[in-house]
Amino acid sequence: MIGGLFIYNHKGEVLISRVYRDDIGRNAVDAFRVNVIHARQQVRSPVTNIARTSFFHVKRSNIWLAAVTKQNVNAAMVFEFLYKMCDVMTAYFGKISEENIKNNFVLIYELLDEILDFGYPQNSETGALKTFITQQGIKSQTKEEQSQITSQVTGQIGWRREGIKYRRNELFLDVLESVNLLMSPQGQVLSAHVSGRVVMKSYLSGMPECKFGMNDKIVIDKQGKGGTTDDSGKSSGKQSIAIDDCTFHQCVRLSKFDSERSISFIPPDGEYELMRYRTTKDIILPFRVIPLVREVGRTKLEVKVVIKSNFKPSLLAQKIEVRIPTPLNTSGVQVICMKGKAKYKASENAIVWKIKRMAGMKESQISAEIELLPTNDKKKWARPPISMNFEVPFAPSGLKVRYLKVFEPKLNYSDHDVIKWVRYIGRSGIYETRC
Amino acid sequence: MPAVSKGDGMRGLAVFISDIRNCKSKEAEIKRINKELANIRSKFKGDKALDGYSKKKYVCKLLFIFLLGHDIDFGHMEAVNLLSSNKYTEKQIGYLFISVLVNSNSELIRLINNAIKNDLSSRNPTFMCLALHCIANVGSREMAEAFAGEIPRILVAGDTMDSVKQSAALCLLRLYKTSPDLVLMGEWTSRVVHLLNDQHMGVVTAAISLITCLSQKNPDEFKTCVSLAVSRLSRIVSSASTDLQDYTYYFVPAPWLSCKLLRLLQCYPPPEDGAVKGRLVECLETILNKAQEPPKSKKVQHSNAKNAILFEAISLIIHYDSEPNLLVRACNQLGQFLQHRETNLRYLALESMCTLASSEFSHEAVKTHIETVINALKTERDVSVRQRAADLLYAMCDRSNAKQIVAEMLSYLETADYSIREEMVLKVAILAEKYAVDYSWYVDTILNLIRIAGDYVSEEVWYRVIQIVINRDDVQGYAAKTVFEALQAPACHENMVKVGGYILGEFGNLIAGDPRSSPLVQFNLLHSKFHLCSVPTRALLLSAYIKFINLFPETKSTIQEVLRSDSQIRNSDVELQQRAVEYLKLSSIASTDVLATVLEEMPPFPERESSILAKLKKKKGPGAVSVNELEEGKREGELNGGGERSGDNSAIAASNASTPSPSADLLGLRTVPPVAAAAPSAGSLLVDVFSEAGVNDDGFLRDLEPPTESSDSLLAEGPGDSDSAPPSVVSEDPAPPLPESNELLNKFVCKNNGVLFENQLLQIGIKSEYRQNLGRMYLFYGNKTSVQFVTFTTTVSCPGELQSQLNVQTKQVEPLIEGGAQVQQVINIECLTDFCDAPLLNIKFRYGGALQNLSLKLPVTINKFFQPTEMASHDFFQRWKQLSQPQQEAQKIFKANHAMDTEVLKAKLLGLGMALLENVDPNPENFVCAGVIQTKAQQVGSLLRLEPNAQAQMYRLTVRSSKDTVSKRLCELLAEQF
């Protein structure tokens, strides 16, 4: 189990130090600073083993969060906890920064006491936590409130309290996907996958029972056999998608998912992540990058890159950025591009080409002349891949939300009264093309 | 280095450095550096010429980036350009860059060397210094090659500035250290030596470092420096503290120079010139006097500087070791330091005293401090100082104070630091042995040692006790008594049990008269420790038990009972089980006489260097011990009974040093000697194997007795009857080989020429030679009668397997042999692979009408195809160990058939065809041989070891070879030879 938790600033100074178990001493704090934060070689592994002690760290801007243990713990659990803790902190005081942490250190210790007990993770649902860890001054709670908190924390549905009331029952559903790609210079896909999340924001009264449906291949096939064909499925080119693996928020009834593959749950109040999934088949690649690199003698390099957007012309991609790495002995760069802005960034050893907006089925190109300084180094330039960033208003995996039904038998509102919003956002993950 | 002037300050560099310092994270730093590198690259692109200032600035930035740990692969050219600048700062940065980022690019190196050459030949001293510093900082072989000739010239040139001279001297020193072969002083030597007379103290200081280094390599060339150094030293020593101004350090005149001078003098023997020597002695006295003076300053630097000179002077006095007066004074001076507050001083004083103690002049003086040193050993806080105190006690020990010192060291041992215990134990053991007046004291001391620090008593220590006890009759009884008493302690160390077991086993009878230590009591005492001990100790105890049976027959039943118990006879440890079984059998089967012989008291060990001393030397540093001793030590480690190692000339200690089994049998009972081979019967008529009888000593043979009845009876008709009875029924088939043919065969194992067979009719002589896997044999058939032999035919056949192992070709002989005549037959032999049997020679002829038919074995044995191999001791044992599989070894223990004469044995072993290796076996009595058997199919390497035991008239023969059949055969063949 987690033996201790430390938060450092970028200099390696300890901001928060909470030790849960005796096997973690004070020297563990220094060990992490010396061997990871101040390491000569940048430490890329999120898990570091120093003197039989394991350090799991995540970095949020300039802040290091490190969980320490001497035992053989489940690393995935520790990271899940660390991410959850980041979420909780963000929910309480916004951005995780040195200043915010310093200003809220009492709160953080209070939270740490609650969400981690003797190194075992406890309820880390923000909604539930907010009922008894408040940021306002100490206000004495009535007996009623206290008993309610107790029953909720110890009860079956720890993530939602009873008696929530909204005038407008509203529900926001975001499908957020990041698409990862590695492509050969010839345009062959070497590896591609989409990792997606379904994030929900619910403002619903009472204890509603929700049911979520999407175009999961297994479900669609089952229904297809049953005889009913889904119209929406037919209209889009792709009827259903194959989900490789998925995880759910704790509110989802897994038994029901296992047996009927239906996702039913009582949602927490406010924002939360309903599910996470990953697909590797039939991915829509929003952009195609075609590189052309020509070495002219020892002192010159000519680069031409064409990008093609590959989605419906009615849709607009945003925040497009193409990053073309330059050799380490670059001494000057001339860039010409038809669209957007391009600039040589010496500090990053790359040409960065930014386009604000781009519609589907279009293409654009950039050409650059790179001057090189002759060096006596015999090493050849490794030619790192060209990477790309973008945002598109559809799900590259092809996932579609089919329905989200809300039932609240006790209160008098029905599924039709709930206002539902659905949004798809596809972002680039590591989207690279070799050149 | 002059400070960078205000106007020269590089603002860009300062900004860059402060940017880097302000970076929040590593990534930010890398970004900033990348940006700067790109900027510098664009500046260095070569479109426009940069001025010196910006070039310097960018080179500086590159240097800074490099020092931050990033790779720099450009900018060298710009740095080289800076070298040719006329501005000091630019040149300096250029040199800095070059010496930090020296590049092996040959083009660049040429340019750099060129620039350095220009600077060296310039008249500007600062430029020359910069160039010299660069050469020294790079210090590579290439630099030495380019400039080793130039620098001595600069060093000795009259018009060179002092500061340049200093740099040149140190630069030369550096080059000399990296590539001494390139720095040839030759003609410059005397002029370099005369730098000691230089006006400038800095030059002298720099030059003396160079001279010291050079004179260590070739002292003769620099001999003249001694007198110069002495005069220089005396000038410094006698000067008042104010004379030297800049070179006076806290009231001490030129302490560094003095130390260096004293150290230089330590490279040489005392000066022969009386005047110089007198002056030097005077100096040393002055230094000693000054040490007595009250300090001029309370500052620690003052006393440090003074003491540094003093200790260096004392080292010199010790090095000369010729001035009793000075030595004693030095000793007294050190004595004062022994109680000084400063730990470092105490340490140094003890260390110097250690060397003083070994000098005959000051030994007595050192001894006066014994109380202080003992006190230091007891009360000192610092363990390293205590260690030095122990060293000093060891060094100052002699016959007069040995008892005191040993007692003190023993008492200190109880509280001594763990890190120095083992060394202390060794030292106590050595002192106790070295200065033992009576051996009872020695035994007491060592037993005490084992009692106090048993864990740190190495094997060698207790081996040594046993060696000494066994070699001294006078102490044996006392040792037995003391050991017996020591063993009565409820908890005693395993080493004590080992010593006890061994000594009681040997000399328990000496104390058996006392009812308190009756045999049974002794046995019970030993056996009470048995179960607490490790396997090697138990094995030793079992041997002690069997010795008890011999010493005290009344304990036999008790001991047999113990041996018979399941825990012994069925012990899971092979060694213990084997001992138990063998000892049990030995005790029940053998008669008392046999027991008494086998379990005889160990013979005295040969006197030799104490193994402990060797161990101490090894501990002090492997360099001090020769490989031989190490080797010995290693082999000693293989044994569990330390003593028997050197007793391997005795019959009992058959367990020899090189016995492969790590647990050599203490009593050598592993193999019961086989019943000696039957005495030769027919051999009596044959020529003595040892005599170098040739084919032509027929006369000698004829004088011998008539043939034995066995050979007679085999020949169907005796020569006497042959005339009367017509030959009728003699078979045409080859007769079966003569029964004595095996004997005949054995006769020729160690020699190639001789008489193979003889009866009244016929004599067969043999002469053979072998080369690699080929052999040629000449057989001479002599007709001893006056009647001719007719239809004389000989056939050589290879029975059975031999056919495929040996290829034998014969030439037919004349079928007629006249009376008294001799015919010769040549046989060519090729060895295809190793073989055991010998080819058969069948001879048929008619003598006076009677058919004679006889078969003999041809003396072709595997050893004939030996090629001798010379090898060193080390190689031999390595190979010996490689051939360690049980089937590769064949061993025989047998009684001597002939007198044990070393020369004869040597001759025989040489005749065998192997190389007789001298100085290989640690025991000179033993013989080891090495050879390779050449067959057509393969080569079989063989090693042989013969251990004669003159007392028991026995031999032990061990043969190892890469092929098991070869070892076996060789062993069989040889067992009959000695």
Side-chain angles (χ1 to χ4, degrees):
Chain A
M1 289 305 107
I2 296 171
L5 204 133
F6 308 120
I7 301 179
Y8 302 84
N9 66 4
H10 74 277
K11 288 181 201 149
E13 291 162 347
V14 188
L15 305 176
I16 300 287
S17 156
R18 181 78 173 84
V19 175
Y20 292 96
R21 282 167 177 256
D22 292 338
D23 55 359
I24 301 300
R26 295 293 304 174
N27 54 354
V29 186
D30 300 323
F32 182 76
R33 176 181 40 240
V34 171
N35 290 298
V36 180
I37 302 180
H38 290 163
R40 275 198 80 76
Q41 300 292 318
Q42 194 192 353
V43 176
R44 295 186 60 182
S45 161
V47 185
T48 319
N49 245 302
I50 306 161
R52 292 163 161 260
T53 311
S54 309
F55 293 82
F56 306 82
H57 75 262
V58 296
K59 219 179 156 199
R60 284 283 178 275
S61 64
N62 270 335
I63 298 296
W64 300 74
L65 279 93
V68 192
T69 183
K70 283 219 164 180
Q71 282 154 315
N72 183 14
V73 298
N74 183 344
M77 185 274 284
V78 176
F79 283 110
E80 187 62 37
F81 170 78
L82 286 174
Y83 290 133
K84 207 82 205 174
M85 186 175 154
C86 292
D87 291 346
V88 170
M89 288 199 290
T90 324
Y92 267 93
F93 50 78
K95 199 174 160 252
I96 298 177
S97 66
E98 186 176 348
E99 204 184 342
N100 277 344
I101 286 174
K102 279 179 177 166
N103 290 339
N104 293 290
F105 81 94
V106 179
L107 173 75
I108 293 172
Y109 278 113
E110 211 176 332
L111 285 170
L112 282 176
D113 273 347
E114 199 53 51
I115 59 178
L116 212 55
D117 201 353
F118 198 56
Y120 292 94
Q122 305 294 313
N123 191 355
S124 52
E125 202 53 50
T126 323
L129 285 171
K130 276 196 170 161
T131 61
F132 50 91
I133 299 176
T134 53
Q135 279 164 291
Q136 290 79 36
I138 303 159
K139 77 169 188 238
S140 58
Q141 284 148 326
T142 61
K143 233 183 186 146
E144 217 169 278
E145 280 174 323
Q146 277 177 355
S147 69
Q148 198 194 348
I149 289 169
T150 317
S151 76
Q152 190 219 323
V153 170
T154 55
Q156 219 179 2
I157 304 168
W159 57 88
R160 187 178 180 91
R161 65 194 164 90
E162 281 188 64
I164 299 170
K165 277 219 168 62
Y166 288 103
R167 227 147 47 89
R168 250 157 71 109
N169 287 310
E170 244 180 330
L171 198 145
F172 300 87
L173 198 90
D174 286 351
V175 176
L176 306 174
E177 292 194 339
S178 76
V179 53
N180 298 285
L181 167 78
L182 182 63
M183 195 177 250
S184 76
Q186 288 75 35
Q188 193 184 356
V189 175
L190 299 173
S191 88
H193 75 268
V194 170
S195 58
R197 308 188 297 147
V198 178
V199 177
M200 223 172 197
K201 221 185 264 181
S202 64
Y203 303 106
L204 301 171
S205 314
M207 296 293 264
E209 173 84 37
C210 298
K211 216 172 165 188
F212 174 66
M214 55 181 179
N215 57 343
D216 181 1
K217 194 169 190 181
I218 298 172
V219 180
I220 301 287
D221 288 357
K222 221 194 258 172
Q223 285 171 350
K225 258 178 229 161
T228 53
T229 41
D230 198 271
D231 288 328
S232 63
K234 244 181 194 168
S235 62
S236 78
K238 241 169 58 179
Q239 294 196 337
S240 56
I241 60 159
I243 287 174
D244 283 1
D245 46 57
C246 54
T247 54
F248 293 104
H249 188 267
Q250 59 170 331
C251 63
V252 175
R253 292 191 188 89
L254 290 177
S255 55
K256 229 168 187 179
F257 179 75
D258 287 341
S259 58
E260 304 167 20
R261 211 137 168 120
S262 74
I263 303 163
S264 71
F265 54 97
I266 297 171
D269 198 36
E271 192 176 342
Y272 63 97
E273 188 184 284
L274 180 69
M275 73 176 284
R276 255 185 249 173
Y277 59 90
R278 209 169 62 90
T279 68
T280 49
K281 287 206 183 72
D282 301 327
I283 293 163
I284 307 160
L285 295 172
F287 285 96
R288 169 87 207 275
V289 178
I290 303 155
L292 204 81
V293 179
R294 204 159 68 89
E295 280 178 53
V296 188
R298 279 190 69 206
T299 57
K300 210 168 160 190
L301 199 67
E302 281 180 4
V303 181
K304 201 165 116 182
V305 177
V306 181
I307 59 167
K308 281 184 181 165
S309 57
N310 184 25
F311 44 89
K312 271 191 260 173
S314 57
L315 298 175
L316 271 181
Q318 285 184 306
K319 299 178 191 167
I320 299 151
E321 186 185 289
V322 181
R323 182 175 291 264
I324 304 158
T326 54
L328 292 174
N329 54 345
T330 303
S331 59
V333 176
Q334 270 92 48
V335 210
I336 307 162
C337 58
M338 306 194 300
K339 219 176 162 195
K341 282 178 191 163
K343 205 179 162 189
Y344 167 57
K345 288 204 171 166
S347 59
E348 290 152 43
N349 281 325
I351 298 168
V352 179
W353 177 26
K354 284 182 179 168
I355 303 171
K356 280 216 182 86
R357 247 172 246 105
M358 189 167 173
M361 306 315 270
K362 288 263 168 65
E363 74 170 67
S364 185
Q365 85 165 28
I366 181 172
S367 54
E369 263 186 37
I370 301 171
E371 282 175 75
L372 303 175
L373 188 75
T375 60
N376 33 31
D377 217 3
K378 297 289 177 289
K379 273 184 288 182
K380 215 172 173 291
W381 182 44
R383 288 206 185 185
I386 295 170
S387 62
M388 198 175 169
N389 289 322
F390 53 80
E391 209 178 284
V392 287
F394 62 91
S397 69
L399 182 126
K400 288 267 180 342
V401 176
R402 286 170 57 220
Y403 57 82
L404 185 85
K405 293 171 189 154
V406 182
F407 310 99
E408 174 48 287
K410 281 182 193 156
L411 297 171
N412 56 349
Y413 72 92
S414 71
D415 187 34
H416 304 292
D417 303 329
V418 180
I419 306 161
K420 300 171 193 165
W421 305 85
V422 179
R423 177 167 65 159
Y424 298 93
I425 300 174
R427 291 203 182 93
S428 58
I430 297 166
Y431 201 87
E432 291 178 334
T433 309
R434 290 190 181 154
C435 59
Chain B
M1 187 198 303
V4 178
S5 67
K6 254 294 190 256
D8 246 359
M10 292 170 279
R11 224 180 84 78
L13 179 65
V15 168
F16 173 59
I17 292 174
S18 75
D19 277 0
I20 295 275
R21 296 251 159 93
N22 290 335
C23 279
K24 292 260 187 216
S25 62
K26 197 141 218 156
E27 294 78 51
E29 185 183 309
I30 289 168
K31 273 189 175 174
R32 181 72 184 88
I33 286 168
N34 278 338
K35 195 176 156 198
E36 194 60 48
L37 282 175
N39 177 35
I40 298 171
R41 278 196 299 263
S42 69
K43 295 285 198 252
F44 281 176
K45 206 158 45 180
D47 296 355
K48 48 199 178 292
L50 285 173
D51 59 349
Y53 167 78
S54 9
K55 234 186 246 172
K56 176 182 75 173
K57 185 175 76 184
Y58 293 129
V59 166
C60 241
K61 281 181 180 174
L62 282 180
L63 196 54
F64 183 75
I65 292 169
F66 177 76
L67 295 179
L68 282 177
H70 300 263
D71 280 339
I72 298 296
D73 49 9
F74 64 102
H76 295 83
M77 205 57 217
E78 283 71 20
V80 173
N81 285 344
L82 282 179
L83 293 185
S84 51
S85 158
N86 272 328
K87 278 202 184 131
Y88 172 78
T89 50
E90 285 166 23
K91 208 184 258 292
Q92 181 207 19
I93 295 294
Y95 273 122
L96 196 59
F97 188 91
I98 295 299
S99 46
V100 173
L101 271 129
V102 75
N103 197 300
S104 55
N105 187 328
S106 57
E107 180 70 6
L108 272 176
I109 288 283
R110 210 169 48 79
L111 288 171
I112 294 167
N113 284 355
N114 220 4
I116 292 177
K117 267 207 180 91
N118 283 340
D119 279 342
L120 284 183
S121 55
S122 77
R123 298 282 92 198
N124 186 331
T126 44
F127 289 180
M128 287 174 90
C129 278
L130 275 179
L132 287 168
H133 293 169
C134 180
I135 295 169
N137 280 333
V138 176
S140 64
R141 203 172 163 78
E142 291 78 31
M143 282 289 180
E145 270 164 9
F147 301 107
E150 186 96 346
I151 298 167
R153 197 182 49 73
I154 297 171
L155 179 60
V156 297
D159 53 350
T160 314
M161 297 271 290
D162 289 337
S163 59
V164 179
K165 273 189 190 169
Q166 287 181 46
S167 297
L170 293 176
C171 180
L172 200 57
L173 175 62
R174 166 70 201 248
L175 293 185
Y176 183 73
K177 278 180 179 166
T178 46
S179 28
D181 52 320
L182 291 177
V183 181
L184 302 166
M185 293 313 286
E187 61 210 283
W188 312 112
T189 308
S190 67
R191 296 175 73 179
V192 170
V193 170
H194 276 90
L195 286 174
L196 288 177
N197 270 337
D198 202 283
Q199 292 294 315
H200 194 265
M201 293 290 256
V203 175
V204 182
T205 316
I208 202 160
S209 295
L210 176 66
I211 292 168
T212 310
C213 188
L214 288 170
S215 60
Q216 272 161 355
K217 272 276 156 62
N218 16 332
D220 288 340
E221 284 179 41
F222 287 86
K223 228 173 189 165
T224 44
C225 71
V226 173
S227 61
L228 290 175
V230 170
S231 66
R232 188 90 219 185
L233 183 65
S234 83
R235 258 181 286 159
I236 297 170
V237 169
S238 57
S239 70
S241 58
T242 48
D243 285 0
L244 293 162
Q245 286 177 355
D246 284 354
Y247 288 87
T248 303
Y249 177 78
Y250 287 91
F251 308 104
V252 183
W256 282 277
L257 185 51
S258 314
C259 283
K260 280 184 176 180
L261 284 166
L262 287 164
R263 208 166 284 167
L264 173 62
L265 290 173
Q266 282 175 46
C267 302
Y268 289 95
E272 280 142 23
D273 185 354
V276 177
K277 190 171 184 184
R279 210 165 165 197
L280 179 57
V281 169
E282 205 177 298
C283 283
L284 293 172
E285 272 173 351
T286 321
I287 292 172
L288 288 175
N289 286 339
K290 276 194 178 171
Q292 298 287 352
E293 287 170 14
K296 291 194 178 100
S297 158
K298 280 219 164 60
K299 287 261 172 56
V300 70
Q301 289 94 330
H302 172 69
S303 60
N304 276 351
K306 226 166 76 169
N307 290 333
I309 299 176
L310 178 64
F311 274 110
E312 214 51 70
I314 289 174
S315 307
L316 183 63
I317 293 169
I318 294 169
H319 170 73
Y320 285 166
D321 196 14
S322 59
E323 300 287 326
N325 176 31
L326 283 175
L327 281 165
V328 172
R329 279 197 65 185
C331 184
N332 293 338
Q333 185 62 49
L334 290 175
Q336 292 178 7
F337 286 141
L338 283 183
Q339 282 157 312
H340 201 276
R341 254 179 330 106
E342 276 285 311
T343 313
N344 288 338
L345 273 184
R346 290 200 299 273
Y347 180 94
L348 287 170
L350 285 169
E351 200 182 27
S352 305
M353 266 210 182
C354 269
T355 35
L356 272 179
S358 52
S359 159
E360 50 174 324
F361 302 111
S362 54
H363 188 75
E364 286 305 314
V366 173
K367 268 165 68 181
T368 55
H369 299 290
I370 184 164
E371 292 302 330
T372 328
V373 179
I374 288 171
N375 205 28
L377 189 63
K378 283 177 177 163
T379 57
E380 183 59 52
R381 269 172 289 120
D382 192 319
V383 64
S384 59
V385 182
R386 285 204 295 274
Q387 162 109 49
R388 292 290 141 249
D391 284 351
L392 180 52
L393 276 184
Y394 176 73
M396 67 164 67
C397 189
D398 63 9
R399 210 163 280 283
S400 65
N401 54 12
K403 277 199 173 168
Q404 187 196 0
I405 287 179
V406 168
E408 288 296 346
M409 283 173 96
L410 262 183
S411 72
Y412 169 64
L413 202 53
E414 290 187 58
T415 54
D417 206 83
Y418 292 107
S419 53
I420 61 171
R421 273 198 185 179
E422 192 181 351
E423 208 187 311
M424 291 279 293
V425 167
L426 284 176
K427 283 179 170 163
V428 170
I430 290 165
L431 291 179
E433 187 193 333
K434 202 164 159 194
Y435 301 113
V437 191
D438 60 316
Y439 279 91
S440 55
W441 174 75
Y442 170 73
V443 171
D444 277 345
T445 308
I446 299 294
L447 291 184
N448 252 334
L449 198 63
I450 296 176
R451 190 175 52 74
I452 293 170
D455 283 338
Y456 299 91
V457 172
S458 53
E459 302 276 275
E460 287 83 357
V461 174
W462 74 264
Y463 291 172
R464 193 67 190 155
V465 188
I466 283 167
Q467 284 179 20
I468 285 173
V469 169
I470 285 179
N471 288 6
R472 311 259 160 198
D473 310 341
D474 46 338
V475 78
Q476 286 164 355
Y478 179 78
K481 188 163 150 286
T482 334
V483 162
F484 179 74
E485 280 161 7
L487 280 177
Q488 276 170 331
C492 52
H493 195 270
E494 195 167 331
N495 280 340
M496 185 69 96
V497 179
K498 285 182 190 165
V499 177
Y502 203 102
I503 289 184
L504 289 183
E506 294 288 334
F507 311 113
N509 54 337
L510 299 178
I511 55 166
D514 192 330
R516 280 169 299 169
S517 52
S518 70
L520 262 181
V521 175
Q522 286 185 29
F523 171 72
N524 286 335
L525 181 62
L526 274 184
H527 198 57
S528 69
K529 313 284 182 202
F530 186 88
H531 303 283
L532 304 169
C533 296
S534 61
V535 170
T537 314
R538 288 187 188 194
L540 191 147
L541 283 179
L542 284 180
S543 300
Y545 294 171
I546 188 74
K547 290 220 159 192
F548 266 47
I549 291 184
N550 177 40
L551 291 179
F552 319 113
E554 67 265 34
T555 58
K556 187 171 177 175
S557 58
T558 324
I559 291 173
Q560 281 184 336
E561 201 52 50
V562 169
L563 290 177
R564 204 173 288 129
S565 70
D566 275 357
S567 61
Q568 309 299 355
I569 211 156
R570 300 216 172 121
N571 198 300
S572 59
D573 189 272
V574 176
E575 179 69 28
L576 289 183
Q577 194 185 54
Q578 186 176 0
R579 285 192 190 219
V581 172
E582 284 177 359
Y583 292 166
L584 187 62
K585 269 280 168 272
L586 182 70
S587 67
S588 47
I589 289 173
S591 68
T592 40
D593 288 347
V594 172
L595 268 184
T597 323
V598 172
L599 304 169
E600 203 180 12
E601 192 176 295
M602 291 298 276
F605 293 96
E607 284 301 333
R608 49 159 70 215
E609 194 203 10
S610 160
S611 52
I612 322 178
L613 213 56
K615 165 114 187 194
L616 185 69
K617 275 184 203 161
K618 198 157 62 181
K619 250 187 104 59
K620 287 283 183 184
V625 192
S626 71
V627 184
N628 231 345
E629 279 166 320
L630 281 170
E631 173 78 21
E632 227 170 53
K634 204 173 83 223
R635 264 187 279 128
E636 256 166 10
E638 285 180 10
L639 299 168
N640 63 351
E644 77 234 37
R645 168 191 176 343
S646 34
D648 50 11
N649 53 342
S650 74
I652 293 168
S655 52
N656 201 288
S658 58
T659 308
S661 154
S663 49
D665 198 314
L666 188 71
L667 299 170
L669 295 166
R670 187 179 297 276
T671 30
V672 177
V675 180
S681 55
S684 55
L685 89 157
L686 297 166
V687 70
D688 189 309
V689 187
F690 303 132
S691 67
E692 282 298 312
V695 202
N696 49 353
D697 47 4
D698 296 0
F700 171 65
L701 286 165
R702 284 197 193 104
D703 293 341
L704 285 169
E705 282 176 69
T708 52
E709 55 287 342
S710 60
S711 54
D712 261 357
S713 57
L714 200 106
L715 298 167
E717 284 104 357
D721 324 314
S722 54
D723 286 5
S724 53
S728 53
V729 286
V730 174
S731 150
E732 285 290 330
D733 291 329
L738 298 172
E740 71 274 38
S741 58
N742 271 330
E743 295 293 332
L744 298 170
L745 189 67
N746 285 332
K747 194 176 94 171
F748 283 93
V749 167
C750 291
K751 61 177 192 174
N752 289 335
N753 306 328
V755 174
L756 178 67
F757 175 77
E758 184 169 32
N759 61 16
Q760 286 125 323
L761 308 175
L762 181 72
Q763 189 199 39
I764 306 173
I766 194 166
K767 206 173 183 179
S768 48
E769 51 191 26
Y770 294 90
R771 187 164 298 134
Q772 302 210 328
N773 67 329
L774 298 174
R776 179 168 293 166
M777 191 178 268
Y778 299 91
L779 290 173
F780 301 93
Y781 302 100
N783 187 345
K784 283 167 75 178
T785 62
S786 49
V787 187
Q788 64 177 18
F789 294 157
V790 286
T791 61
F792 187 86
T793 50
T794 60
T795 43
V796 178
S797 59
C798 297
E801 278 195 324
L802 199 60
Q803 218 146 19
S804 59
Q805 295 165 334
L806 216 58
N807 189 4
V808 184
Q809 291 172 338
T810 47
K811 262 193 190 142
Q812 255 330 311
V813 283
E814 295 287 333
L816 204 86
I817 305 176
E818 291 298 335
Q822 197 183 50
V823 290
Q824 180 190 334
Q825 184 181 26
V826 184
I827 302 175
N828 287 320
I829 304 155
E830 187 186 15
C831 179
L832 301 173
T833 176
D834 68 293
F835 59 95
C836 290
D837 235 325
L840 288 175
L841 171 70
N842 182 254
I843 304 162
K844 282 187 221 152
F845 61 92
R846 284 181 184 275
Y847 166 66
L851 177 68
Q852 305 288 335
N853 184 353
L854 73 155
S855 281
L856 294 167
K857 283 193 175 176
L858 268 186
V860 180
T861 47
I862 184 70
N863 65 295
K864 299 291 179 197
F865 301 95
F866 257 130
Q867 193 91 334
T869 319
E870 289 292 344
M871 55 176 82
S873 170
H874 174 74
D875 290 341
F876 181 84
F877 281 109
Q878 197 184 357
R879 273 166 217 222
W880 183 266
K881 276 175 193 144
Q882 278 167 2
L883 299 169
S884 61
Q885 287 170 32
Q887 70 268 23
Q888 288 176 332
E889 185 189 88
Q891 195 177 60
K892 258 196 180 161
I893 296 176
F894 51 90
K895 266 221 147 47
N897 293 333
H898 308 282
M900 291 179 122
D901 185 340
T902 315
E903 286 315 306
V904 173
L905 282 178
K906 264 190 196 167
K908 277 197 203 177
L909 285 169
L910 280 172
L912 188 62
M914 297 174 98
L916 184 60
L917 304 176
E918 305 279 359
N919 301 328
V920 168
D921 198 283
N923 184 349
E925 305 280 332
N926 293 348
F927 297 95
V928 293
C929 301
V932 178
I933 292 176
Q934 306 271 356
T935 70
K936 197 183 177 189
Q938 69 192 109
Q939 301 191 335
V940 184
S942 303
L943 303 172
L944 176 147
R945 183 181 171 105
L946 180 71
E947 296 152 291
N949 182 329
Q951 282 173 348
Q953 288 291 306
M954 302 269 275
Y955 290 102
R956 186 165 71 160
L957 174 74
T958 316
V959 181
R960 289 186 177 187
S961 56
S962 46
K963 205 161 174 191
D964 49 353
T965 48
V966 173
S967 320
K968 232 197 284 156
R969 179 63 183 154
L970 280 175
C971 204
E972 278 166 21
L973 283 173
L974 286 168
E976 305 300 322
Q977 299 300 317
F978 302 106

